[in-house]
Amino acid sequence: MRHPVTPDGRYFVARGRLWRRTNPELDPDRRDELVRELMAARRRKQSAMRREDAAAREAARTEVDAAKRALGERGPVWWTDGAPDLTGRAVGNTPYADWFAGLGEHHDSSGE
């Protein structure tokens, strides 16, 4: 099942929490490039963790963070109306609570 997306398109809900989506204003080719970089960095991080290489793991974490910031998923928000960043918050404790509750029982708090 796909994760529900808030009506304003800013977040998706997974396991009952809000997670910021990619900036929709990004050029599609740039977005694809950044997603490839993100996935490669995540693979490097997993590899470093399997090897118990702390330095490589931290380097890969830095790369993951840089890609997520470039995608707009971390760092300054990409919207311009002054609304706060609610990333990581329980959806039931945000202005999206009623919207989420209205989705019905097939979207439980676990996101499954």
Side-chain angles (χ1 to χ4, degrees):
M1 171 188 307
R2 296 195 46 89
H3 298 292
V5 173
T6 59
D8 57 17
R10 293 177 182 170
Y11 305 96
F12 66 90
V13 180
R15 293 189 172 95
R17 297 204 173 268
L18 295 171
W19 300 104
R20 197 184 322 167
R21 296 182 73 213
T22 298
N23 181 346
E25 298 296 319
L26 280 177
D27 173 78
D29 291 336
R30 177 67 176 141
R31 180 193 160 293
D32 290 346
E33 176 186 342
L34 289 167
V35 168
R36 282 191 300 274
E37 290 175 14
L38 173 62
M39 300 316 287
R42 285 178 168 167
R43 286 189 298 273
R44 284 190 290 278
K45 180 182 170 210
Q46 288 298 318
S47 176
M49 290 172 67
R50 282 191 300 275
R51 295 188 322 268
E52 298 182 6
D53 184 337
R57 184 190 72 228
E58 289 307 310
R61 285 183 73 199
T62 298
E63 293 172 13
V64 166
D65 186 63
K68 289 187 82 56
R69 287 176 180 277
L71 285 163
E73 297 173 10
R74 291 186 184 160
V77 297
W78 44 261
W79 50 89
T80 59
D81 64 2
D85 184 10
L86 302 175
T87 300
R89 295 205 183 158
V91 69
N93 296 329
T94 71
Y96 300 103
D98 289 342
W99 160 80
F100 189 69
L103 294 179
E105 58 189 65
H106 61 281
H107 291 288
D108 67 16
S109 62
S110 70
E112 297 174 20

